[in-house]
Amino acid sequence: MDLNGRRVLVTGADGFIGSHLVESLLAAGATVRALAQYNSFNHLGNLEQVAPCERLEVITGDIRDSGCCARLCAGVEVVFHLAALIAIPYSYRAPESYFATNVLGTMNICRAALDAGVQRVIVTSTSEVYGSARFVPITEEHPLQPQSPYSASKIGADAAAMSFYYSFGLPVTVARPFNTYGPRQSARAVIPTIITQIAAGVSPIRVGDLTPTRDFNFVKDTCGGFLALAESEQCIGETVNIASNYEISIGDALELIRRLMDRPVTFEVDSARLRPAKSEVRRLWGDNRKLLALTGFTPRYSLEAGLRETIDWMLRPEHLALYKTGIYNV
């Protein structure tokens, strides 16, 4: 499926990845309906930083409401479903909200897409559903391990989406991105937290566990993977990793950031930022061979190249001002 000229819905478009995906779709020639979560402040999240376009329609609403989802899906051909609660530490405090948004919300979108006759639905999963790697690189056949309420809700959401494929023939693909980073990412994630604190002159910088490994992916590569999945008919009914096929420890990633920024900072482990022992995902390294085989897509950015672009964006005063470097963002 060529996305040029297609009518596309992006839920979670006000988020980090969602806003970049909107830009990628517009660049590909699509007409985009972008969902931002309703709020009384009339703030559109990261969509505030997306340039206006006559092919972009922004709607506010909530995926927990089935009527809202029905209106969102009316008249669209492709759905990219990214709307979710994603912060792992907060899922320990408010697990019910994660299941309501991630599982029920996904079911609402799938049902609305089915009723509207949508031709492709890309549902966003997460590498967190795998838990700590039992083998690496992690393929799509790796067992699922719900090591946090967040990951459990995403396992449920994936299952709900695939049930609509098997039961009703909804043309679903589950996209499973590994750790995405880049401009606009919130300070709940480690990379923007470190970059913005270094830029603000904070030292020592308080961190969580530095020993786990992650498979980091620059946001433009993650969006490229999304588009490739939507364009490939072979991906219907499949779950597909979007990964770099490379792992690095959190500690080594922070050392790389410190070197690229050339600032004399130190890091200090803060117990308040540690996950419960059995909940910490120790190792993530994603196998991206299935994505390559089905779509021909491969990442373009090395970790260093992506970090340089991210650092350059975050060092701009108008962007750094968006971050509250003195507050731990759960």
Side-chain angles (χ1 to χ4, degrees), residues 1-42:
M1 173 185 288
D2 186 353
L3 292 170
N4 184 32
R6 297 286 185 174
R7 300 183 304 278
V8 178
L9 167 67
V10 179
T11 72
D14 50 342
F16 160 49
I17 299 176
S19 64
H20 284 276
L21 182 58
V22 166
E23 290 178 324
S24 296
L25 287 163
L26 292 172
T31 296
V32 180
R33 178 177 294 165
L35 172 67
Q37 186 174 28
Y38 171 79
N39 63 85
S40 61
F41 304 105
N42 197 29

Side-chain angles (χ1 to χ4, degrees), residues 6-282:
R6 297 286 185 174
R7 300 183 304 278
V8 178
L9 167 67
V10 179
T11 72
D14 50 342
F16 160 49
I17 299 176
S19 64
H20 284 276
L21 182 58
V22 166
E23 290 178 324
S24 296
L25 287 163
L26 292 172
T31 296
V32 180
R33 178 177 294 165
L35 172 67
Q37 186 174 28
Y38 171 79
N39 63 85
S40 61
F41 304 105
N42 197 29
H43 193 275
L44 302 178
N46 282 309
L47 285 173
E48 302 275 354
Q49 301 180 52
V50 174
C53 176
E54 62 181 10
R55 289 182 285 108
L56 174 61
E57 174 193 16
V58 178
I59 295 178
T60 59
D62 194 318
I63 61 169
R64 293 172 297 180
D65 185 274
S66 59
C68 174
C69 292
R71 291 187 293 273
L72 287 169
C73 289
V76 303
E77 299 167 277
V78 183
V79 172
F80 290 90
H81 175 47
L82 284 77
L85 290 179
I86 61 174
I88 295 167
Y90 191 64
S91 78
Y92 304 137
R93 303 183 185 181
E96 183 177 337
S97 63
Y98 280 70
F99 284 87
T101 299
N102 297 350
V103 182
L104 178 61
T106 297
M107 187 189 73
N108 284 342
I109 286 292
C110 288
R111 183 165 55 189
L114 181 67
D115 291 343
V118 171
Q119 297 175 30
R120 292 302 310 278
V121 180
I122 311 299
V123 170
T124 308
S125 181
T126 170
S127 57
E128 286 284 327
V129 301
Y130 295 125
S132 296
R134 298 188 189 184
F135 59 82
V136 293
I138 297 170
T139 68
E140 291 81 357
E141 287 71 40
H142 189 285
L144 304 182
Q145 302 176 112
Q147 290 180 220
S148 65
Y150 164 66
S151 63
S153 72
K154 294 298 283 184
I155 290 171
D158 295 354
M162 291 306 298
S163 77
F164 272 75
Y165 167 71
Y166 288 114
S167 298
F168 310 116
L170 185 67
V172 168
T173 300
V174 173
R176 193 160 280 163
F178 279 65
N179 301 79
T180 302
Y181 69 96
R184 302 183 195 143
Q185 188 173 23
S186 77
R188 62 154 197 88
V190 65
I191 286 177
T193 294
I194 298 305
I195 293 172
T196 55
Q197 287 188 85
I198 291 177
V202 176
S203 187
I205 294 175
R206 288 177 293 176
V207 295
D209 193 344
L210 298 178
T211 59
T213 68
R214 294 293 183 263
D215 183 324
F216 288 112
N217 298 262
F218 189 53
V219 66
K220 290 181 180 178
D221 280 333
T222 298
C223 291
F226 272 109
L227 267 62
L229 291 173
E231 291 170 346
S232 171
E233 299 297 320
Q234 296 182 75
C235 295
I236 294 174
E238 299 288 344
T239 296
V240 186
N241 291 339
I242 302 177
S244 70
N245 220 336
Y246 168 81
E247 70 173 335
I248 185 172
S249 72
I250 300 295
D252 287 344
L254 300 195
E255 288 296 331
L256 177 56
I257 293 170
R258 174 163 55 184
R259 177 174 65 80
L260 292 174
M261 296 184 71
D262 193 24
R263 303 285 180 90
V265 299
T266 59
F267 301 114
E268 180 180 279
V269 175
D270 177 6
S271 60
R273 302 176 188 230
L274 300 175
R275 297 190 197 182
K278 291 182 180 180
S279 182
E280 178 63 78
V281 173
R282 305 301 313 175

Side-chain angles (χ1 to χ4, degrees), residues 284-304:
L284 288 175
W285 170 5
D287 190 318
N288 61 9
R289 289 176 294 179
K290 185 175 181 179
L291 178 62
L292 174 61
L294 293 177
T295 71
F297 177 83
T298 55
R300 296 189 298 112
Y301 282 81
S302 67
L303 178 58
E304 183 165 331

